[in-house]
Amino acid sequence: MDLPGPIHDFLLVFLGLGLILGGIGVVLLNNPIYSAFSLGLVLVSISLLYILSNSYFVAAAQLLIYVGAINVLIIFAVMFMNGSEYYKDFNLWTVGNGFTLLICTSIFGLLITTITDISWYGIIWTTRLNQIIEHDLISNSQQIGIHLSTDFFLPFEFISIILLAALIGAITVARQ
Amino acid sequence: MMLEHVLVLSAYLFFIGIYGLITSRNMVRALMCLELILNAVNINFVTFSDFVDSRQLKGNIFSIFVIAIAAAEAAIGPAIVSSIYRNRKSTRINQSNLLNK
């Protein structure tokens, strides 16, 4: 989206803050229903981040599928299986948690140094010079539809068969 | 600039997902952390598709495929967890040893 600079930066900081706090809340809150709502916050801020990076169709699909279907399903699962057992073992900090935290933060720091070391703009400019500069008037959603119906046609059909098989299998497993 | 910031955010989300997936004792919370990992992958796809390939948009199509696979996973996962809960009356990961005997 072509916003002026300070508004764009403010929105980016705002969404990043929501994403960081929501991610911490998913892992560290001790009631699972709160962490499910925190997951909803993360998914909504990711969808707004997609709108900021000009991908409106994926933003709409993220809102509809993740927030509308997956998050509601997870909240239903939490409410369906909510026992009193969740409150027994919070504050249970073992050695394995600290070890995992150490390994995750070390790999994360390594990845941050790698990301900041690579000169992304050289890569982006060399790939942009290779592309044919044609200013066509079709939008992003039309472009995605054309790709899905021409050269990604077979994976698209496979996705539909996988979804059908997964939903039938889920109903078969869940009903008794 | 925006590309590095979004990549760092995506890496943060990926590693907090892996941390929660390893250390959580509740199966539903493990499923939530799996969603976080898939979302981190999606953020990378969409950002690189916007910055590098803004004419063809193939990263967007891959992210739509990832979203569809995540929907299938989110249908299967709570079904298996509810089946385990019905047999064991518990959703803790370390008590699910149904294949043990």
Side-chain angles (χ1 to χ4, degrees), chain A residues 8 12 49 52-55 120-121 123-129 131, chain B residues 1-7 43-55 57 59-60:
Chain A
H8 187 276
L12 192 61
L49 197 69
L52 277 187
S53 65
N54 292 317
S55 307
W120 294 103
Y121 285 92
I123 300 173
I124 287 172
W125 280 111
T126 52
T127 53
R128 274 193 183 161
L129 286 182
Q131 290 179 358
Chain B
M1 190 39 209
M2 190 177 167
L3 180 61
E4 287 94 354
H5 294 172
V6 177
L7 289 183
I43 290 175
N44 266 350
F45 269 131
V46 171
T47 309
F48 276 111
S49 155
D50 183 43
F51 269 83
V52 179
D53 188 19
S54 64
R55 292 245 68 89
L57 291 176
N60 281 357

Side-chain angles (χ1 to χ4, degrees), chain B residues 18-56:
Chain B
I18 283 188
Y19 174 75
L21 189 63
I22 291 175
T23 63
S24 69
R25 294 180 178 83
N26 188 359
M27 285 187 201
V28 187
R29 196 190 293 267
L31 286 177
M32 290 184 225
C33 295
L34 206 59
E35 302 295 331
L36 282 187
I37 292 174
L38 289 173
N39 271 296
V41 176
N42 264 341
I43 290 175
N44 266 350
F45 269 131
V46 171
T47 309
F48 276 111
S49 155
D50 183 43
F51 269 83
V52 179
D53 188 19
S54 64
R55 292 245 68 89
Q56 297 259 324

Side-chain angles (χ1 to χ4, degrees), chain A residues 7-106:
Chain A
I7 300 176
H8 187 276
D9 289 343
F10 173 72
L11 280 179
L12 192 61
V13 168
F14 185 68
L15 294 178
L17 207 62
L19 207 145
I20 287 173
L21 292 180
I24 288 179
V26 169
V27 177
L28 292 185
L29 285 177
N30 44 29
N31 197 352
I33 195 87
Y34 291 156
S35 64
F37 282 116
S38 166
L39 179 72
L41 172 69
V42 172
L43 296 177
V44 170
S45 31
I46 287 171
S47 163
L48 295 178
L49 197 69
Y50 290 165
I51 291 179
L52 277 187
S53 65
N54 292 317
S55 307
Y56 305 113
F57 185 78
V58 186
Q62 170 94 13
L63 264 186
L64 286 176
I65 296 175
Y66 268 111
V67 186
I70 294 178
N71 198 14
V72 171
L73 198 62
I74 284 175
I75 287 173
F76 275 170
V78 170
M79 288 199 282
F80 180 59
M81 288 167 281
N82 200 0
S84 61
E85 58 188 323
Y86 296 131
Y87 302 101
K88 277 189 295 191
D89 54 359
F90 77 102
N91 288 331
L92 197 60
W93 178 265
T94 60
V95 183
N97 288 7
F99 192 65
T100 312
L101 185 64
L102 181 68
I103 287 184
C104 282
T105 48
S106 60

